[in-house]
Amino acid sequence: MLLISCPNCGPRDETEFHYGGQAHVPYPENPNDLTDREWAEYLFYRENTKGTFAERWVHSTGCRQWFNMLRDTVTYDIQAVYQMGGAAARRARPTRS
Amino acid sequence: MANTAAFTGINGLREIRRSPASHLAEAFDTGSVQGTVTLNEGPFQTMVGVRVDRSSEAGARIASVTGGLPERCGDVGGTERVSVLWLGPQEFLVVAPEDAHDSLGGDLIGSLKSALGDAAGQVVDLSANRTTFELSGPRARAVLEKGCALDLHPRTLKPGTALNTEVGNIPVALFKTGEESFRLFPRASFADYLGRWLLDAMREFASPEVP
Amino acid sequence: MSTHQLPEHPDFLWHNPEPKSSYDAVIVGGGGHGLATAYFLAKNHGMTNIAVLEKGWLAGGNMARNTTIIRSNYLWDESAAIYEHALKLWEILPEELEYDFLFSQRGVMNLAHTLGDVRESIRRVGANKLNGVDAEWLDPQQVKELCPILNIRDDIRYPVMGATYQPRAGIAKHDHVAWAFARKCDEMGVDIIQNCEVTGFVKDGNRVVGVKTNRGTINTEKVGLCAAGHSSVLAEMAGFRLPIQSHPLQALVSELHEPVHPTVVMSNHVHVYVSQAHKGELVMGAGVDSYNGYGQRGSFHVIEHQMAAAVELFPIFARAHVLRTWGGIVDTTLDASPIVGTTPVDNMFVNCGWGTGGFKGTPAAGLTFAHTIATGAPHKLNRPFALERFETGALIDEHGAAAVAH
């Protein structure tokens, strides 16, 4: 079980949260201008990083706020928690192979 | 001709209203261990969901109605009669006695709506959304610890703190009202489940402690 | 002091050759799908100068970690075709591979717990029948007759309102399946190379011409990726992207029991699937952990949730004990269907995205992927499962049939 530090509520069990996948994926500015390939990239393609991954979580049982998190997808170590819309925090460790 | 007059509240219906855990009242009574841990339902409290930026003018107006808006997670604002629980950075739950409800002669919801005015935010009557359980006694914390991962030790959790969390795997607002007393606010549809879960967790304390 | 002699060491089922400098084709991943692909490349296409590269030990990834369920009762025509073909192969493979891997057609039930489930299940039974897949709708009493330990009382939170039933479905011994394929591959001259991790690819323009490994560079004309869990990592090395997310998937077994559970029971709604292994363990699985993960482990609350579901459905299990839990890494796609076909890199092919249900697809994955690699074009069974479907929109949404219990 992950112990996640909500920016508003402090450390809570993973069961209080929901996962939101990769962070920092902007909605296309002009969706109508995209090619099928670009639209497919937006809809279906996400990074699947092995190593430090920037992802979104929501504290659904607590403050119901979304936030971003850097987590190692191999060790599951949580390296940083930061606000939605904030720049990705520094990468704590290089991507593992 | 049909009666199209506006409803004037639930007056007259009060007698037939049933609370979400009313069917467990007797079980709560027999399951309670006096002097150790007791459980009962405090039904029909007036509850209002408020969403507002507490640093805005509307926030200040609402705070003047409720007796303050809590600043951060865990804080509870309000007065003797009204508690304001922090649910999120811009979301609060106002809890007041039943008779504060506008349909029973009170003016809480109307006052909050006027205070918000046209500003960004919302004031919603949530009185039927949740019920209230009161769990008290020296072993109340031990009962909760069976299904709540928060640190409930008194050195961390002080009276007057409320947290939105999970108890028995369901979402609950947990309000520590005294050194040995807690109020739990489950949603109405979870009242039966949580009531039975708490009764089960209390059962061992009816027997003498094994040294 | 024991007077027993140790038995003579049995013949090795396969050898451990040193990698050659060059092959006609290299399969990355020595699990069930990789071995099946090599088998069909050799058997159907005469390609025996090929290697299967495995970074760990043979069949030590998801092939060692799955819950061994085999069925073909999928909703859409494309899925029914490929999974049913797999099932037909499962029925003949023990003889063809000359290895009894204990394929037991004890049937699979998919329980319905809500009216929505019931409608969806009956629809799927109809679709299955149209596609030649054996399927029946059972009422709760019939469910009870087939599996007496199931609780069909209506006073539980999610009562059993019926089930789809596929009599030809069942389970098999997963490790034995891998060994059976490995032995035949080895006999036909395929090199199975363990402890050989792929670290990159050699390309000539857009064409793959070699595989870099921790045991040197291997030249090859064709590369097939069969490394569920790590498909995205390999694709990135090769310079293309896959619409895949890797998630932990957990399973568990109880201690051994006398036979108590005669079939396979799956419940999407309460999130558990259960069978009893030949040896006697109750084998259970549930849904994936929500977050991306390559750790081969997940969170305990997922186990707790599936145990709660299992005990509600099978009250007798309250007296069993969890002996062991583990996790694998599954490739999930947005339509819960696999990707088998060509890639943006010439002469590189990919077989991935089988999600939580790759084991049952093993023979058909091998057959169609071998065809794709050998001829450069997809077999008719895997043509709909091309990578391009995410651009064309021709998705094959099997969340209903796959969902938690692929």
Side-chain angles (χ1 to χ4, degrees), chain A residues 23-86:
Chain A
H24 310 296
V25 181
Y27 188 77
E29 272 187 36
N30 297 303
N32 291 329
D33 296 344
L34 299 190
T35 63
D36 286 354
R37 174 69 206 173
E38 288 164 340
W39 184 238
E41 290 266 348
Y42 172 69
L43 274 189
F44 299 116
Y45 285 72
R46 293 291 181 271
E47 293 304 313
N48 189 18
T49 310
K50 185 178 184 183
T52 302
F53 188 48
E55 59 194 15
R56 304 181 302 169
W57 289 81
V58 60
H59 190 191
S60 37
T61 311
C63 60
R64 306 205 285 177
Q65 303 296 303
W66 286 89
F67 58 92
N68 292 331
M69 195 159 105
L70 282 186
R71 186 180 58 94
D72 188 307
T73 59
V74 180
T75 63
Y76 303 168
D77 279 346
I78 296 167
Q79 299 168 347
V81 171
Y82 57 101
Q83 292 294 325
M84 291 293 285

Side-chain angles (χ1 to χ4, degrees), chain C residues 119-390:
Chain C
R119 282 190 284 267
E120 158 75 17
S121 302
I122 291 174
R123 176 193 183 198
R124 201 177 318 143
V125 166
N128 288 162
K129 285 180 172 166
L130 289 172
N131 276 315
V133 175
D134 57 322
E136 298 167 30
W137 168 253
L138 306 180
D139 65 29
Q141 207 51 50
Q142 292 169 307
V143 167
K144 184 82 177 168
E145 278 159 27
L146 272 167
C147 187
I149 58 171
L150 250 174
N151 179 10
I152 60 161
R153 289 167 52 138
D154 59 9
D155 62 351
I156 60 174
R157 178 67 183 86
Y158 294 107
V160 175
M161 298 176 74
T164 67
Y165 182 56
Q166 185 180 20
R168 286 164 59 242
I171 56 172
K173 270 271 169 254
H174 49 129
D175 297 314
H176 294 214
V177 173
W179 302 343
F181 276 121
R183 181 177 64 164
K184 281 292 170 191
C185 286
D186 189 77
E187 277 175 15
M188 289 188 285
V190 175
D191 279 358
I192 296 169
I193 303 163
Q194 302 178 78
N195 301 311
C196 182
E197 181 171 356
V198 171
T199 55
F201 296 98
V202 187
K203 281 159 71 174
D204 177 6
N206 191 44
R207 189 162 56 93
V208 66
V209 294
V211 180
K212 293 180 200 162
T213 79
N214 60 344
R215 294 169 69 174
T217 297
I218 299 169
N219 297 318
T220 182
E221 289 176 18
K222 294 175 172 190
V223 172
L225 306 179
C226 276
H230 281 78
S231 305
S232 304
V233 176
L234 287 167
E236 195 183 339
M237 284 179 198
F240 69 97
R241 295 181 85 196
L242 287 170
I244 294 273
Q245 299 283 287
S246 296
H247 286 269
L249 177 67
Q250 303 184 74
L252 62 91
V253 288
S254 72
E255 77 278 45
L256 307 190
H257 296 281
E258 285 291 318
V260 291
H261 183 19
T263 178
V264 181
V265 172
M266 317 181 73
S267 167
N268 280 1
H269 202 85
V270 302
H271 271 213
V272 74
Y273 39 99
V274 189
S275 66
Q276 187 170 18
H278 297 83
K279 208 163 65 170
E281 305 139 313
L282 298 166
V283 184
M284 297 184 211
V288 298
D289 278 70
S290 66
Y291 48 78
N292 289 24
Y294 288 88
Q296 291 188 320
R297 63 195 167 88
S299 296
F300 189 73
H301 66 90
V302 177
I303 299 279
E304 191 181 11
H305 188 87
Q306 89 185 60
M307 294 306 293
V311 171
E312 176 152 291
L313 290 175
F314 301 91
I316 194 179
F317 289 179
R319 302 179 63 174
H321 303 90
V322 174
L323 190 70
R324 187 166 79 244
T325 77
W326 65 91
I329 315 166
V330 296
D331 284 352
T332 59
T333 58
L334 264 293
D335 63 354
S337 285
I339 299 167
V340 187
T342 56
T343 73
V345 177
D346 296 339
N347 290 0
M348 178 172 280
F349 306 89
V350 70
N351 168 56
C352 67
W354 289 81
T356 58
F359 178 70
K360 71 175 71 66
T362 301
L367 181 92
T368 59
F369 196 43
H371 178 98
T372 310
I373 293 171
T375 65
H379 187 277
K380 68 174 194 276
L381 288 174
N382 67 315
R383 188 173 299 124
F385 295 95
L387 188 52
E388 288 75 22
R389 75 178 185 272
F390 296 95

Side-chain angles (χ1 to χ4, degrees), chain B residues 134-145:
Chain B
E134 192 146 41
L135 186 74
S136 307
R139 305 314 292 265
R141 171 161 72 97
V143 168
L144 289 175
E145 280 171 345

Side-chain angles (χ1 to χ4, degrees), chain C residues 87 90-91 102-107 165-171:
Chain C
L87 180 51
W90 282 116
E91 286 170 332
L102 304 179
F103 177 41
S104 164
Q105 291 177 284
R106 55 182 66 186
Y165 182 56
Q166 185 180 20
R168 286 164 59 242
I171 56 172

Side-chain angles (χ1 to χ4, degrees), chain B residues 112-180:
Chain B
L112 288 169
K113 282 188 173 158
S114 321
L116 179 65
D118 293 334
Q122 64 181 30
V123 171
V124 182
D125 178 7
L126 297 177
S127 304
N129 184 30
R130 299 168 185 258
T131 190
T132 308
F133 288 159
E134 192 146 41
L135 186 74
S136 307
R139 305 314 292 265
R141 171 161 72 97
V143 168
L144 289 175
E145 280 171 345
K146 295 183 185 185
C148 181
L150 293 179
D151 184 357
L152 303 179
H153 193 281
R155 76 175 156 245
T156 307
L157 189 68
K158 306 291 182 199
T161 307
L163 296 164
N164 235 2
T165 186
E166 289 180 346
V167 176
N169 295 327
I170 61 149
V172 163
L174 178 67
F175 183 9
K176 182 167 178 179
T177 48
E179 291 295 343
E180 292 179 345

Side-chain angles (χ1 to χ4, degrees), chain C residues 28-43:
Chain C
V28 182
H33 285 215
L35 292 166
T37 302
Y39 170 75
F40 286 110
L41 274 174
K43 173 177 165 268

